Amino acid sequence: MGQSSSSARIAEELRREIAGLAAGSRLPSTRALVERFAASPVTVQHAVRALVREGLVESRPGAGTFVRRARPASRADLSWQTAALGAARAQGAVVGSTLQTPSDDVIALHSGYPVDDLLPVRAVQNALARAARTRSALDRPPASGLAELRSWFAEELAEATPATGSAPTAADVVVMPGGQSALSSVFRSLARPGDAIVMESPGYWGAIAAARQAGLEVVPVPRRPSPAPSTGHGWAAVDPVDLAETFERTRARLFYAMPHFANPTGTSWTEADATALLEVVRAHGAFLIEDDWAHDFALDAPVRPVATRDVDGHVVSVRSLTKSVSPAVRIAAVVARGAARSRILTDRVVDGLYVSGVLQTAALEVVSSPAWHPHLRRMREQLRTRRDALAGLVDELLPPGTLTSVPRGGLNLWLRLPDGVESTTYVEACARAGVLISPGPEWFPAEDPESHVRLNYSGPAPGRFEEAVRIMARELAGLQRLRER
Amino acid sequence: MGQSSSSARIAEELRREIAGLAAGSRLPSTRALVERFAASPVTVQHAVRALVREGLVESRPGAGTFVRRARPASRADLSWQTAALGAARAQGAVVGSTLQTPSDDVIALHSGYPVDDLLPVRAVQNALARAARTRSALDRPPASGLAELRSWFAEELAEATPATGSAPTAADVVVMPGGQSALSSVFRSLARPGDAIVMESPGYWGAIAAARQAGLEVVPVPRRPSPAPSTGHGWAAVDPVDLAETFERTRARLFYAMPHFANPTGTSWTEADATALLEVVRAHGAFLIEDDWAHDFALDAPVRPVATRDVDGHVVSVRSLTKSVSPAVRIAAVVARGAARSRILTDRVVDGLYVSGVLQTAALEVVSSPAWHPHLRRMREQLRTRRDALAGLVDELLPPGTLTSVPRGGLNLWLRLPDGVESTTYVEACARAGVLISPGPEWFPAEDPESHVRLNYSGPAPGRFEEAVRIMARELAGLQRLRER
């Protein structure tokens, strides 16, 4: 056997060995290899040099030869995964545009999260730092959440519950790591894959995505158009007759809704809507999943959650603190009764065992401090100013009828674009011109029969609202001119 | 109409109104009600007194009559939920006994979590406090996790990957809010309800529960018995032929395993096991979900994760920091490639949008500090001492063959009880006598053909190990005497 075939054999054997060695492992010395393979030093060195050329090992003069750090070479053939995984469950892009983090020079009206100036940042920092120093906060809390925090959530609902109602207690609450987790848990717990879930349309994109991920079929019920004073046409609650028909047609047992300051339309149910829709839910042996997302953003009048009308466990209520306390404090709660509550708790345990005690302790400190309500008042005052400014500019600078309504709470304006202006095209034109807004289709479980965009007025640059709306007006005019040609 | 029927009518109308009012709302004055109902003051007062007796309102002399706080009366009929919800998905108790929080006077050998003395508590407190003061930590991090933290997780695997392997990068990592969430996301993402998932038996109860909650059918593959030196019979890895047959029979695409220091048996795959089992997984176009739960608890020799052998995306690796850093820092990571990784990220976004930046920042600071490795060394030294002490006592004081093996890592000893001693009965007897241990059946997807219990040696009272094992011996003897009668 000649030197080169012999060195090839040695190299091959070493290659196999190297495959089993960690990076940095030392190869046997040339002398040891010479002995082991009964080959000449030249043959051995020839083999080792081949491995060096291949990048498998490196020689460090005086120290020896070492297995090299793996190259992050991800050119592997992963196509087998296509067969293993099959079609994806949630079709299309599930990550809403509201989650983008933009660069500083654009004007961001797309986000779903209030900017720091509106949040109790110092109180949150102090509460987190104090919680970190509290030994008990480092321990594993009960699966359903800290008792005091559950009491606080229950109390918030109980305070608004009339004497004829049935006020929740801490035993009805499950603490969740944020509102989105809460929705996912509730959908998984109260329905099975293939079941239908009824939703207001338009409605929250995160709920649509969570329901689809849980394998549910999202069945939209349209909001009714409602003539809004002066500014065009707005949106009202869904029609109880539509809801009843949908329950009967689909055999759905779940109705997900945002009864107050709905995202994106800003619509609130009237007292009559709440009574009628809850009656339909009860008559069909179904659950209303009330997403009370904007409880802390009630700008003109306080919220009375529909859950306060519930006497026999038909309402499952979700309330999150993430948007009003801090993005770092991902804490929400589900309030539910009976078997529904115990299924939701089971899902929570299986999905994540428990929620960090530090986050729960900090959240409780922030919301139960005497500074919390004064903070909420100041924040609402700022939000009112922002809303009125942005709504006024839209009303003044964009075509009549664009502003569908001035919502009494929440964080968003919902705009209807003139006929023939496609939402995504318009959003892209605005983004190129430095203004980020959200395309309407994300909020529709099916097609948007018209064309909408959402503006969030809690973003970073209220001083640039006018600049933003002027750009939006210019881009809109541009698209309309293009269309008329 | 007499006074009483007229007051009943007034009371009835007021009851309806009160149902729509928040607690603390003021009722109209007697004078206003007299006018409105065209009734005498006596009749009106009669009606109001009836409402006071019913607990709906309360009179505050000089101030008026107010709607009372709702009573937390949960005697409502919730039986309709039974029909709405149908049969529960996960059968039986899903909450493992390892999650119980015991009183101080018992000796707790049941928990899954290391006691504070073993954890870097001060480093965690400092890191959390510092993170709380860092503005960026309060912001919303990217959905896949902070880039630096993803790099750290990737680097940990890359360091053990040989040059012939394919080292992961930060782009392959998704940060998760704890190991249990990671498992739930992975199961939901890579399979559909009704699909089979193969698991080692016995295996981790939390994985069994998560798979069932995802609607998967858990198919157990038995570990092979292996004669353990001196102490009785232990457990080895599953047989590659068994695994291959199970894949073929069930058409499963997922194999969940703990290749190192498996919970509860302490078993580790040999190099040959890893090569053979991964080959079976590849040949069947399947995924190995490697739960590297005890990476930081490698007591006698470091872990080389099976993921380091993966070149084409067949291994999805899960690693959690909760047990080795702090129960408050619920941070884990999934490392996966290709479509699998993008499905898992989608599930993560839909399930919870993002993981708290404060927890991610604190976790990163703890594990990348120069004090981390010295801490790990000290912790392992303590765990070795605890393991050897408890194993020695079990060997000395319990019947021969009870200790199945002395695991080379992890936190647990797995005991086989003498024939005829039922696990749950024994666990209850020990609990009554003040020693908490875990019943074996929780770790079996199907029946346990023998009878086992698990002891955790990372709990609060290592000084009481001898007392605990003496009690266990006494209770075991008691049950055996009962049986012989």
Side-chain angles (χ1 to χ4, degrees), chain A residues 237-318:
Chain A
V238 304
D239 189 320
V241 174
D242 286 350
L243 180 63
E245 282 175 1
T246 308
F247 274 135
E248 279 146 31
R249 181 166 51 80
T250 63
R251 307 189 150 273
R253 298 286 199 171
L254 300 184
F255 172 38
Y256 166 84
M258 287 181 163
H260 294 278
F261 323 126
N263 182 356
T265 56
T267 315
S268 289
W269 294 4
T270 63
E271 297 276 308
D273 290 333
T275 305
L277 291 168
L278 185 54
E279 203 39 63
V280 171
V281 167
R282 296 187 72 228
H284 289 83
F287 291 95
L288 165 66
I289 299 162
E290 175 178 34
D291 188 344
D292 195 15
W293 78 286
H295 192 97
D296 295 329
F297 307 121
L299 303 184
D300 298 333
V303 162
R304 181 182 162 205
V306 180
T308 60
R309 300 164 186 269
D310 180 38
V311 289
D312 49 4
H314 282 278
V315 182
V316 171
S317 161
V318 175

Side-chain angles (χ1 to χ4, degrees), chain B residues 382-399:
Chain B
Q382 287 175 278
L383 283 172
R384 264 194 296 273
T385 306
R386 284 160 164 259
R387 175 197 60 186
D388 295 343
L390 191 61
L393 288 161
V394 168
D395 208 23
E396 181 191 334
L397 300 173
L398 293 178

Side-chain angles (χ1 to χ4, degrees), chain A residues 28-81:
Chain A
S29 66
T30 305
R31 187 186 317 183
L33 294 173
V34 162
E35 259 189 55
R36 176 171 149 198
F37 291 109
S40 74
V42 174
T43 307
V44 164
Q45 279 158 4
H46 193 80
V48 170
R49 274 200 302 274
L51 300 178
V52 170
R53 277 195 307 276
E54 287 164 36
L56 295 181
V57 296
E58 56 190 340
S59 291
R60 293 184 213 142
T65 305
F66 297 84
V67 176
R68 269 190 60 182
R69 197 51 169 300
R71 297 141 300 182
S74 255
R75 292 292 181 78
D77 177 12
L78 305 179
S79 59
W80 67 272
Q81 290 190 354

Side-chain angles (χ1 to χ4, degrees), chain A residues 15 18-23 55-57 67-74 76-78 80-81 83-90 94-95 98-101 111 113 116-117 121-122 124-126 128-129 132-135 137-140 155 158-169 172 177 180-182 184-185 188-193 204-206 209-211 213 253 271 285-287 304 311-314 322 326-330 337-341 343 346-359, chain B residues 15 18-23 55-57 67-74 76-78 80-81 83-90 94-95 98-101 111 113 116-117 121-122 124-126 128-129 132-135 137-140 155 158-169 172 177 180-182 184-185 188-193 204-206 209-211 213 253 271 285-287 304 311-314 322 326-330 337-341 343 346-359:
Chain A
R15 252 181 232 111
I18 289 164
L21 294 173
L56 295 181
V57 296
V67 176
R68 269 190 60 182
R69 197 51 169 300
R71 297 141 300 182
S74 255
D77 177 12
L78 305 179
W80 67 272
Q81 290 190 354
L85 294 172
R89 196 177 294 182
V94 295
V95 179
T98 62
L99 291 177
Q100 290 170 44
T101 303
S111 169
Y113 293 83
D116 275 1
D117 314 352
V121 175
R122 200 153 321 153
V124 167
Q125 292 185 309
N126 290 337
L128 279 168
R133 299 275 168 226
T134 315
R135 277 298 275 259
L138 297 191
D139 289 345
R140 197 159 37 82
E155 194 75 357
E159 273 168 14
T161 303
T164 46
S166 173
T169 70
D172 300 318
Q180 186 69 21
S181 298
S184 291
S185 264
R188 284 195 299 258
S189 307
L190 305 187
R192 285 151 192 281
Y204 174 48
W205 70 265
Q213 189 74 1
R253 298 286 199 171
E271 297 276 308
F287 291 95
R304 181 182 162 205
V311 289
D312 49 4
H314 282 278
T322 306
S326 166
V329 180
R330 286 195 72 50
R337 304 183 200 219
R341 194 256 183 190
R343 296 244 176 136
T346 295
D347 184 86
R348 171 86 277 278
V349 172
V350 172
D351 196 50
L353 301 182
Y354 63 89
V355 178
S356 165
V358 164
L359 299 187
Chain B
R15 253 182 232 110
I18 289 164
L21 294 174
L56 297 181
V57 296
V67 176
R68 271 190 60 181
R69 198 52 170 298
R71 297 142 299 179
S74 254
D77 178 12
L78 306 179
W80 68 271
Q81 290 191 354
L85 294 172
R89 195 176 297 181
V94 294
V95 179
T98 62
L99 291 176
Q100 292 168 43
T101 303
S111 169
Y113 293 84
D116 276 1
D117 314 352
V121 175
R122 200 151 322 150
V124 168
Q125 292 185 309
N126 290 339
L128 280 167
R133 300 275 168 225
T134 314
R135 277 298 276 258
L138 297 190
D139 289 346
R140 199 160 36 82
E155 193 75 356
E159 273 168 16
T161 303
T164 47
S166 173
T169 70
D172 300 318
Q180 186 68 23
S181 299
S184 292
S185 265
R188 282 194 300 259
S189 306
L190 304 188
R192 286 150 191 279
Y204 173 49
W205 71 264
Q213 189 74 3
R253 297 287 198 172
E271 297 277 308
F287 291 95
R304 182 185 160 202
V311 291
D312 50 4
H314 282 279
T322 306
S326 165
V329 180
R330 285 192 75 50
R337 305 182 199 220
R341 194 257 184 189
R343 297 245 176 136
T346 296
D347 184 87
R348 171 85 277 279
V349 172
V350 172
D351 196 50
L353 302 182
Y354 63 89
V355 178
S356 164
V358 164
L359 298 187

Side-chain angles (χ1 to χ4, degrees), chain A residues 404-479:
Chain A
T404 58
S405 69
V406 180
R408 304 184 66 205
L411 306 172
N412 306 299
L413 301 182
W414 184 239
L415 309 193
R416 179 172 168 270
L417 299 177
D419 288 346
V421 177
E422 203 268 318
S423 174
T424 311
T425 312
Y426 180 55
V427 167
E428 282 163 7
C430 290
R432 278 193 300 273
V435 178
L436 298 187
I437 58 179
S438 284
E442 294 183 0
W443 281 273
F444 287 85
E447 296 79 8
D448 178 358
E450 302 176 322
S451 185
H452 297 87
V453 293
R454 193 194 77 166
L455 309 192
N456 183 297
Y457 47 79
S458 70
R464 298 178 73 189
F465 279 176
E466 180 169 346
E467 186 187 345
V469 181
R470 287 198 185 281
I471 291 172
M472 289 175 60
R474 193 188 69 206
E475 296 301 322
L476 189 59
L479 285 181

Side-chain angles (χ1 to χ4, degrees), chain B residues 102-292:
Chain B
S103 59
D104 285 343
D105 50 339
V106 301
I107 309 176
L109 302 177
H110 72 297
S111 169
Y113 293 84
V115 74
D116 276 1
D117 314 352
L118 294 163
L119 299 177
V121 175
R122 200 151 322 150
V124 168
Q125 292 185 309
N126 290 339
L128 280 167
R130 236 187 319 267
R133 300 275 168 225
T134 314
R135 277 298 276 258
S136 66
L138 297 190
D139 289 346
R140 199 160 36 82
S144 58
L146 292 180
E148 299 88 335
L149 184 59
R150 285 187 284 121
S151 291
W152 182 84
F153 277 111
E155 193 75 356
E156 286 270 301
L157 265 185
E159 273 168 16
T161 303
T164 47
S166 173
T169 70
D172 300 318
V173 179
V174 181
V175 173
M176 295 276 174
Q180 186 68 23
S181 299
L183 295 183
S184 292
S185 265
V186 169
F187 295 163
R188 282 194 300 259
S189 306
L190 304 188
R192 286 150 191 279
D195 285 357
I197 179 171
V198 182
M199 293 197 183
E200 300 167 310
S201 175
Y204 173 49
W205 71 264
I208 300 171
R212 288 190 173 146
Q213 189 74 3
L216 310 189
E217 190 203 345
V218 177
V219 180
V221 177
R223 294 177 180 284
R224 290 177 292 179
S226 107
S230 83
T231 51
H233 82 260
W235 304 73
V238 303
D239 189 319
V241 175
D242 286 350
L243 180 63
E245 282 174 2
T246 308
F247 274 136
E248 279 146 32
R249 181 166 50 81
T250 62
R251 307 189 151 274
R253 297 287 198 172
L254 301 184
F255 173 38
Y256 166 83
M258 288 180 163
H260 293 279
F261 323 126
N263 182 354
T265 57
T267 315
S268 288
W269 294 4
T270 62
E271 297 277 308
D273 290 333
T275 306
L277 291 169
L278 184 54
E279 204 38 62
V280 171
V281 166
R282 296 187 71 227
H284 289 83
F287 291 95
L288 166 65
I289 300 162
E290 175 178 34
D291 188 344
D292 195 14

